[in-house]
Amino acid sequence: MAPTVKVGETIPAGTFKYIPYTPELESNAACGVPVSLDITKDWKGKKVVLFSVPGAFTPTCHVNHLPPYLQKYDEFKAKGVDVIGVLASNDPFVMSGWGRFQDVKDKLLCLSDIGAEWSSKLGLSMDTPGGARTARYAIILDDLTIKYIEVEPAPGVSVSGADAVLAKL
Amino acid sequence: MTPPTPTLQAGDTVPDGTFRYIPYTEDLKDTVTQSLDITEDLKGKKVVLFSVPGAFTPTCHVNHLPPYLQHYDDFKAKGVDIIAVVAANDPFVMSGWGRFEGVKDKILCLSDPEAEWSGKIGLALDMSQLHFGIRTARYAIIIDDLVITYIATEPGPGVTVTGAEALLAEL
């Protein structure tokens, strides 16, 4: 699989739904209300690291892909990253639940690309028996321009992992 | 949204079908999904099955599942062999939600992909316009040796006839 956009191009427009983190969610008794993130509006002028997983709570993603991004949060911030987002095709409630399960708080935005719709604009969705899913990839954006875009060539985490992305910042 | 009416009632046999799930283990090995075959695995058993439109969504998360966990011993005292929660989310999400809620092995967290089995009883909801796809309605069933002894769908938002206390009263 290869992305249909490349370094130097402007990221395609799109929206993601997500549930913003609030301390009330910590009690596990509330679920929050989904809001929209508009890529072109909300990420203009920002340095963004976005990594995508095929599914919340699935093997690899859960254990090996997300945690290093959380552990290295300060290093990302030191390199001037404004937003770190994790993306999957799960609905925003599941993404919020997964984020709380992983204790990301407000460090990572847990974004829902329902139906892998936006990811497929980049050629980065895959068909599974359960429907379209986002591939395992990572993107660095600087003021809406793609600086890095890599999709995992095989199972496991390499070019889309926290270390690989940090090295490119 | 008007709730759907089940196409089966007390006295009918449950339709065949398969749910997928990840059995609970202490070390949380998430990698293997299993199938639960309704006719084979629920034969001869007393089962309480309740369904939610989605894992981690409002109402379900706060008001529907926790009372079933809190009343676990009451259900066991009434001879219930299996308590299960069903939704259309994939088995990894169902397993994650179960761990999030601390259910351990007390409640099976089952995936009914695309609400296929629930649709056989007329209890699937098309939530495509909300981008949620096909989901299971909020319902509860008591099954005794594959025969339905109680089936109810929630008439409005909130949890009444499909809640733990309502089901306990029927056992």
Side-chain angles (χ1 to χ4, degrees):
Chain A
M1 172 184 304
T4 56
V5 291
K6 48 190 200 286
V7 172
E9 290 177 359
T10 303
I11 196 77
T15 54
F16 303 124
K17 289 253 186 249
Y18 74 109
I19 295 176
Y21 171 79
T22 60
E24 282 73 40
L25 295 175
E26 294 277 331
S27 70
N28 298 339
C31 301
V33 183
V35 298
S36 284
L37 182 148
D38 180 308
I39 291 175
T40 310
K41 270 171 57 182
D42 296 321
W43 285 352
K44 178 143 196 54
K46 297 207 166 129
K47 194 177 246 184
V48 176
V49 163
L50 181 72
F51 68 102
S52 163
V53 299
F57 296 104
T58 61
T60 307
C61 325
H62 188 62
V63 181
N64 296 328
H65 204 171
L66 185 143
Y69 275 94
L70 190 60
Q71 286 147 19
K72 292 178 197 258
Y73 176 78
D74 292 333
E75 290 175 57
F76 281 102
K77 284 296 175 178
K79 298 237 182 181
V81 171
D82 297 298
V83 177
I84 308 176
V86 59
L87 189 68
S89 61
N90 300 98
D91 72 53
F93 294 106
V94 169
M95 292 308 285
S96 166
W98 188 42
R100 276 176 282 153
F101 189 87
Q102 300 275 56
D103 202 27
V104 308
K105 292 198 170 58
D106 59 352
K107 294 182 173 178
L108 306 185
L109 289 187
C110 299
L111 306 169
S112 165
D113 183 13
I114 280 265
E117 198 184 313
W118 181 80
S119 301
S120 60
K121 288 190 199 181
L122 284 65
L124 293 176
S125 64
M126 42 193 200
D127 266 318
T128 71
R133 294 268 178 161
T134 61
R136 191 184 305 284
Y137 64 85
I139 300 178
I140 300 173
L141 293 176
D142 203 337
D143 194 18
L144 304 178
T145 302
I146 299 171
K147 296 295 189 184
Y148 177 83
I149 179 164
E150 290 292 334
V151 58
E152 282 305 333
V157 180
S158 61
V159 295
S160 70
D163 287 330
V165 173
L166 270 170
K168 293 289 173 179
L169 284 161
Chain B
M1 178 178 297
T2 35
T5 317
T7 54
L8 295 180
Q9 58 203 352
D12 291 334
T13 302
V14 281
D16 215 3
T18 317
F19 298 124
R20 299 201 55 79
Y21 73 110
I22 294 174
Y24 172 78
T25 56
E26 279 286 340
D27 58 1
L28 306 171
K29 288 252 177 290
D30 303 328
T31 53
V32 191
T33 60
Q34 310 265 29
S35 287
L36 185 147
D37 180 297
I38 291 175
T39 309
E40 264 187 48
D41 297 323
L42 302 185
K43 179 146 195 53
K45 298 207 163 123
K46 191 179 253 185
V47 176
V48 162
L49 182 82
F50 67 102
S51 162
V52 298
F56 296 105
T57 60
T59 306
C60 327
H61 188 63
V62 181
N63 295 328
H64 206 171
L65 184 141
Y68 276 93
L69 190 59
Q70 288 146 18
H71 284 285
Y72 177 77
D73 293 333
D74 296 325
F75 280 104
K76 285 294 173 178
K78 299 242 183 179
V80 171
D81 296 299
I82 295 176
I83 306 174
V85 59
V86 175
N89 299 99
D90 70 51
F92 297 106
V93 169
M94 292 309 285
S95 164
W97 187 41
R99 276 177 283 147
F100 189 85
E101 296 279 359
V103 308
K104 291 198 169 62
D105 58 353
K106 293 182 172 180
I107 303 183
L108 286 187
C109 299
L110 305 173
S111 165
D112 183 12
E114 269 142 11
E116 194 185 319
W117 183 82
S118 304
K120 289 187 193 179
I121 8 180
L123 293 177
L125 281 176
D126 189 345
M127 299 182 78
S128 312
Q129 84 273 32
L130 296 171
H131 300 285
F132 282 174
I134 311 289
R135 297 280 177 141
T136 61
R138 192 184 305 284
Y139 65 84
I141 308 180
I142 300 175
I143 309 170
D144 204 335
D145 195 17
L146 303 178
V147 174
I148 298 172
T149 58
Y150 175 82
I151 179 163
T153 45
E154 218 46 69
V159 179
T160 59
V161 295
T162 66
E165 275 150 18
L167 278 264
L168 275 170
E170 297 288 334
L171 285 161

